[in-house]
């Protein structure tokens, strides 16, 4: 597996066969660190990538480490995703929002043109079969805004880098590995504790004139002023907001009680034998705890050592509200 590198104008000038790469993209990071031999003509603005993968980006700087027995030089940069994550989508003159309407690949092409990113990326011309009819949030990022709208349509963003071509963006359907024959063998650590579900909220006033509001969460974490859990299933806490009127007390208390529902956590260990993408869905079912939960992959992490096969791992949100079939 070779790493292609270019000059600052994007013209390919060489291959790296001895290198070390750490790269991550998705919810955050969207960056890479590439160890390179001294004297390699890589400069700020050079593109580095592995053809036929989604792994690559642009060099933004360098790091040199001379503290060990052997000095090491690294090129540091943004992944393709990181470039898009720093591209703000501004509404065109005379419009309040950017509207995406039509085939997803055609929408991607229009976004590239609007933002000037068509100088760096191409969009696949063949129809994706996925239709968008939405508007982006004002001044969102290209990457975040497009990912969100594609997800709403059951799709994900892919970036292909083929030999001799520029990185190409396209949409495709999300893969769901959470059910049926496609379900993956997923290791997990799951924890759930019954959360506080009754909040006694006290606001402005003194003694019997003090404003008091009772808020309740149900078994699914929904907050209202209606109690559904009683007896030993009721757990109560006080929320004191002495300067709040009733409306402010309800607003603040609702937010606080919703936060208190986050007592469930789930950490998934996903198989490395199957290539998955940001946006794909994985899930588990535990008969022991009656736990059923699915999550979308939000980060892909790639590590390549000298002459070794790539190690690819995946992350899902670290704190998920677990869904239990009982209770």
């Amino acid at each position: 597996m070779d790493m292609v590198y270019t000059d600052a104008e994007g013209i390919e000038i060489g291959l790296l066969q001895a290198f070390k790469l750490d790269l991550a993209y998705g919810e955050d990071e969207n960056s890479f660190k590439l160890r390179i031999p001294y004297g390699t003509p890589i400069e700020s603005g050079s593109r580095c990538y592995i053809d036929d993968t989604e792994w690559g980006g642009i060099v933004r700087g360098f790091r040199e480490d001379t503290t060990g027995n052997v000095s090491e030089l690294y090129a540091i940069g943004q992944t393709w995703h990181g470039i898009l994550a720093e591209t703000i989508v501004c509404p065109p003159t005379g419009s309040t929002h950017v509207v995406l309407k039509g085939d997803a690949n055609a929408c991607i092409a229009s976004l590239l043109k609007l933002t000037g990113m068509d100088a760096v990326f191409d969009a696949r011309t063949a129809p994706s079969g996925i239709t968008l009819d939405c508007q982006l949030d004002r001044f969102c990022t290209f990457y975040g805004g497009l990912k969100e709208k594609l997800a709403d349509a059951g799709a994900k963003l892919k970036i292909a880098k083929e030999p001799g071509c520029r990185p190409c963006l396209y949409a495709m359907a999300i893969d769901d590995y959470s059910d049926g024959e496609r379900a993956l063998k997923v290791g997990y650590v799951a924890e759930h504790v019954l959360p506080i579900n009754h909040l006694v909220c006290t606001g402005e006033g003194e003694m019997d004139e003090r404003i008091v509001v009772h808020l309740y969460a149900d078994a699914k974490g929904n907050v209202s002023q209606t109690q559904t859990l009683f007896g030993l299933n009721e757990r109560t806490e006080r929320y004191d907001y002495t300067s709040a009127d009733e409306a402010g007390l309800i607003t603040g208390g609702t937010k606080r009680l919703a936060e208190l529902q986050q007592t469930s956590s789930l950490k998934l260990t996903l198989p490395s034998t199957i290539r998955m993408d940001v946006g794909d869905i994985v899930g588990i079912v535990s008969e022991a705890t009656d736990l059923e939960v699915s999550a979308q992959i939000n980060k892909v992490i790639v590590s390549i050592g000298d002459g070794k096969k790539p190690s690819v791992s995946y992350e899902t949100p670290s704190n998920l509200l677990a869904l239990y079939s009982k209770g």
Side-chain angles (χ1 to χ4, degrees), residues 3 11 20 33 49 53 61 71-72 74 114 157 177 179 188 212 225 228 246 260 271 286 303 319:
M3 172 72 70
I11 306 300
K20 180 180 179 182
K33 183 173 70 172
Y49 45 82
T53 75
S71 297
E72 294 181 323
Y74 294 87
L114 175 66
L157 177 64
Y177 298 97
D179 193 19
Y188 60 89
V212 179
Q225 291 181 263
T228 58
E246 184 172 350
L260 291 171
S286 169
S303 180
N319 287 297

Side-chain angles (χ1 to χ4, degrees), residues 76-291:
I76 300 171
Q78 297 168 288
T79 61
W80 306 128
H81 319 75
I83 297 171
L84 297 175
E86 287 190 359
T87 300
I88 303 299
V89 181
C90 300
T93 302
S95 301
T96 60
H97 291 80
V98 173
V99 175
L100 302 180
K101 189 176 180 66
D103 185 83
N105 286 349
C107 291
I108 291 171
S110 68
L111 267 185
L112 288 173
K113 184 176 181 180
L114 175 66
T115 58
M117 282 293 104
D118 57 345
V120 180
F121 299 96
D122 290 324
R124 183 166 288 180
T125 55
S128 66
I130 298 159
T131 301
L132 297 181
D133 187 359
C134 58
Q135 62 181 25
L136 296 177
D137 292 340
R138 285 171 55 82
F139 305 105
C140 65
T141 68
F142 189 118
Y143 188 55
L146 181 59
K147 272 202 312 173
E148 178 185 353
K149 299 308 178 184
L150 287 175
D152 291 342
K156 59 189 177 186
L157 177 64
K158 290 283 291 176
I159 304 177
K161 175 63 184 73
E162 298 176 355
C165 300
R166 301 195 305 176
C168 182
L169 277 58
Y170 62 99
M172 66 181 299
I174 287 171
D175 284 315
D176 189 340
Y177 298 97
S178 64
D179 193 19
E181 293 182 358
R182 301 194 68 200
L184 302 176
K185 179 63 177 176
V186 177
Y188 60 89
V189 177
E191 180 176 305
H192 177 72
V193 178
L194 181 69
I196 297 294
N197 49 51
H198 178 188
L199 210 57
V200 180
C201 308
T202 53
E204 63 184 4
E206 299 291 336
M207 303 301 287
D208 59 347
E209 294 184 356
R210 188 160 197 182
I211 297 174
V212 179
V213 174
H214 293 263
L215 296 175
Y216 304 93
D218 63 17
K220 295 184 178 180
N222 300 311
V223 177
S224 69
Q225 291 181 263
T226 301
Q227 185 174 8
T228 58
L229 300 172
F230 302 91
L232 292 178
N233 287 326
E234 180 183 3
R235 298 188 64 195
T236 308
E237 187 174 290
R238 182 179 175 182
Y239 173 73
D240 197 21
Y241 189 0
T242 56
S243 62
D245 59 13
E246 184 172 350
L249 197 60
I250 292 174
T251 299
T254 298
K255 180 180 179 182
R256 174 57 181 158
L257 189 52
E259 292 172 349
L260 291 171
Q261 302 313 294
Q262 304 301 318
T263 62
S264 299
S265 65
L266 179 69
K267 181 179 180 181
L268 303 180
T269 301
L270 304 176
S272 60
T273 53
I274 296 178
R275 288 287 183 261
M276 292 177 281
D277 299 308
V278 172
D280 286 343
I281 299 172
V282 294
I284 64 166
V285 176
S286 169
E287 296 181 0
T289 60
D290 297 304
L291 169 68

Side-chain angles (χ1 to χ4, degrees), residues 41-54:
I42 291 177
E43 56 189 313
S44 183
S46 291
R47 282 68 148 175
C48 299
Y49 45 82
I50 299 173
D51 279 325
D52 298 317
T53 75
E54 204 161 349

